Every structure is written in C-alpha cells, then in structure tokens.
Amino acid sequence: MRAILAAFVVAGVVAAGTAACTRSDETRAGAPPSHEVGGGPVGASRQTPAEADATLASLRRLPGTTDVYAMTYTGDYDDLAGVVTPPSASPFGCSLFYASGDAARPVYARNFDWDPNPALVLHTDPPDGHASVSIVDISYLGLPAGVDPLTDAAARRKLLDSPLLPFDGMNAKGLVVGLAADDSARAARDPGRPTVGSVRILRLMLDRAATVDEALALLDRFNLDFDGGPPLHYLIADASGASAVVEFVDGRLVVTRGGPPWQALTNFRLAGSGDAVRKADRRYATIGATLDRQSGRLDWRQSLELLRSVAQPHTQWSVTYEPRGGAVHVVTRQNWAAVHDFTLAQVG
C-alpha cells in the first residue's frame, strides 16, 4: 500500500468573501450500466464493513449550513464502477480560473452554478492512488429530496458511492480539476477504448495523475460519455503552474494550453475563440480583466472576491484550491461571510 499521510481537517469558519459548473454523469467502463427503471447503481465501495462504518461515522454537517456535509472515505473503491444517474436539463453555467502568476502560491478557483442540491466535501485516500479532496453534488447518488443522511441510515449508505462523482477537486500532488458545460462539445467513440462518464473522468485524474501532462495522457485513453447530461469541457492545472483546457470539437479532443499568468473557462468553447467572443461573455471578460490587471497574482481571498463578482443567483458553491499548499476554502449558497477551511497534505 502506498504510504501517504493526508490531513483533511475542518479548520473552522472564517470571515471572507468564488467559480461554477454543471451537473451530469453516468459512468461506464466496458458495458454500459442499465438505464431501466430500478436498475440501480453498481456500488463503488470495496471497503470492509469496519471501513464503511468508519466512513459513515465521519459524516458531519458544515457549520451554518443545512445540507452541505463533509466526510472522510476510509478504504478502497472501484473508480470505474458504473453508477446510473438521472438525466439533466440544460445547465445554467459555471466559472473557473487558474491564477498562476504567483508561482509560489497559485490558486485554482471555481463557482458551481446549478440546482440547490445537497453537497459533500469528500476526502479520499485510495490504497493505489493519490489522496484528494473533492466536492460532490450528492443528489446524483439517488438521495431522496429533503432527506438528511445524518438521520436517515439508508440515505447515508448511498454516500459510499460518493467518490465516483467529483465535480471539482485537488489531489495530494497538486493536480486540480474542474468542469463546465459546453453545449458545442461532441466526443467521438473509439471502439478500442473503454468509455467513462464525463464526471467520472475527474475521479480517474485525481486518483491517477500528478501533473497536467499525466492527466491529458489519461484522458486520451478513454472515450467520454456525455449521455444523460450536458456536454462538458474541463480546466486542469497543477502545482508547477501549468494548466490546460480540454474540449471536444467535432469529435476531436482539443487541448488549449495555459500556464502563467492565468487561464479561465466559462461556458463557451475556448478553442478557436477570438477576443470578441471572449469579451462578449460577461463572466469570462470580468475574470480576464481582473487577472490581467493583477498579472495573475491573486491570493485565495482575492480569488473568492473575483468568484463573488461573477456569481449568479444559482451559484451553489464557490471554492479555491491551493495546489502548492493543500489549502481548500469553500463558500456555500453564497454565504460569503462564512468560509469553510480544509487542508490536504501535499506530497512532492
């Protein structure tokens, strides 16, 4: 077993004042999971009963929230297990950026703009992968609306599949990943490659990649399945200051490299877009103007303020990740005065 010590600590709630996305996913490896009513999920857990009990015992509600939780997953899981998730309508949007002008403390930031579903800040440390912290919209695990997993044992057990659906996250090597809707994306199918869901691919990158280049190489080994949800594009960054936007243009995977001093992503196709298109998108233009003015040098508090300036009425969470220090700062439901702090120990 790989030896790794990852600290995932709620440091408290501090005053302060974040970037957004979409929802989707069903994942497949090899044969697709059943879409029939009652087909149910194929469980991801590879835990012993004691590990499952320890995982669920760690579940806690974030202070000052009603339906945002944190949990530490103990033991192993199958990151290619299939999970059936409900189809989704058109997304509202998302905003992400990587401010890498300060090489000593780059910051990755994102707003998740979607329905007001319960969310989970999740720590995982698989035996054969990298430890990570990610955020999951747990409605996709089949939790009934309005049910509190802290008081409902059946709903709580569904959280054992939560590693499968990270909507953004950072691992102990400093790799950070996030997604946003791109209605123009079209991914082709290569019959020689396994197919994985468009959200599940984030889990594979977090578990198996340490750098942007490694994440891109992993992406190139899979077909992505956008069925059941909006098509997506991705912003990937690492502790070195490197970043890349990954998009699917006419079935082709297209990479737009970024890096110092910044790179941003909202909900239009970045590849091939000119200044006029980028300036026409209010969120992208606001992010770009600020990062240009600051030469990409923003700390996490300034990054949260920038996320606040591009938040929409349906922004559900805002988060900043620090890939060189392991700090994670989360704001939920636009309660900008309450920042929930977590730390993931980094491994060089």
Side-chain angles (χ1 to χ4, degrees), residues 186-258:
R186 300 293 180 268
R189 299 286 177 91
D190 180 338
R193 297 177 179 179
T195 297
V196 65
S198 54
V199 174
R200 180 70 49 79
I201 192 65
L202 297 189
R203 170 52 57 198
L204 298 181
M205 289 190 280
L206 290 171
D207 285 358
R208 306 183 187 187
T211 66
V212 168
D213 285 344
E214 289 182 12
L216 294 176
L218 187 148
L219 264 166
D220 204 39
R221 291 166 40 204
F222 292 91
N223 299 316
L224 289 198
D225 180 9
F226 292 141
D227 292 348
L232 304 173
H233 52 179
Y234 306 86
L235 176 61
I236 307 168
D238 65 31
S240 76
S243 67
V245 166
V246 175
E247 298 175 301
F248 294 84
V249 181
D250 299 326
R252 241 177 357 105
L253 186 152
V254 176
V255 176
T256 303
R257 294 276 184 169

Side-chain angles (χ1 to χ4, degrees), residues 22-238:
T22 172
R23 75 182 180 184
S24 106
D25 201 33
E26 120 201 4
T27 296
R28 316 181 194 191
S34 168
H35 284 264
E36 296 178 4
V37 174
V42 178
S45 173
R46 298 294 179 267
Q47 299 164 298
T48 66
E51 288 171 335
D53 289 345
T55 296
L56 298 178
S58 74
L59 181 69
R60 58 203 182 275
R61 195 187 326 272
L62 293 190
T65 72
T66 58
D67 61 352
V68 183
Y69 307 88
M71 188 177 79
T72 298
Y73 191 99
T74 301
D76 202 4
Y77 51 85
D78 180 356
D79 60 12
L80 280 173
V83 168
V84 177
T85 58
S88 53
S90 269
F92 296 119
C94 273
S95 307
L96 308 89
F97 65 85
Y98 186 45
S100 53
D102 182 352
R105 296 196 72 84
V107 179
Y108 184 113
R110 83 93 104 254
N111 283 332
F112 182 80
D113 302 342
W114 199 237
D115 294 335
N117 298 324
L120 176 71
V121 181
L122 177 70
H123 171 237
T124 58
D125 188 2
D128 298 316
H130 305 307
S132 69
V133 56
S134 59
I135 306 182
V136 181
D137 179 334
I138 57 177
S139 68
Y140 290 96
L141 298 172
L143 273 73
V147 172
D148 186 349
L150 282 170
T151 58
D152 187 295
R156 190 159 58 250
R157 289 203 67 82
K158 292 179 183 293
L159 299 182
L160 296 179
D161 283 331
S162 58
L164 300 182
L165 294 176
F167 286 75
D168 50 71
M170 177 178 68
N171 71 21
K173 294 291 187 178
L175 183 80
V176 195
V177 295
L179 52 78
D182 171 15
D183 287 338
S184 72
R186 300 293 180 268
R189 299 286 177 91
D190 180 338
R193 297 177 179 179
T195 297
V196 65
S198 54
V199 174
R200 180 70 49 79
I201 192 65
L202 297 189
R203 170 52 57 198
L204 298 181
M205 289 190 280
L206 290 171
D207 285 358
R208 306 183 187 187
T211 66
V212 168
D213 285 344
E214 289 182 12
L216 294 176
L218 187 148
L219 264 166
D220 204 39
R221 291 166 40 204
F222 292 91
N223 299 316
L224 289 198
D225 180 9
F226 292 141
D227 292 348
L232 304 173
H233 52 179
Y234 306 86
L235 176 61
I236 307 168
D238 65 31

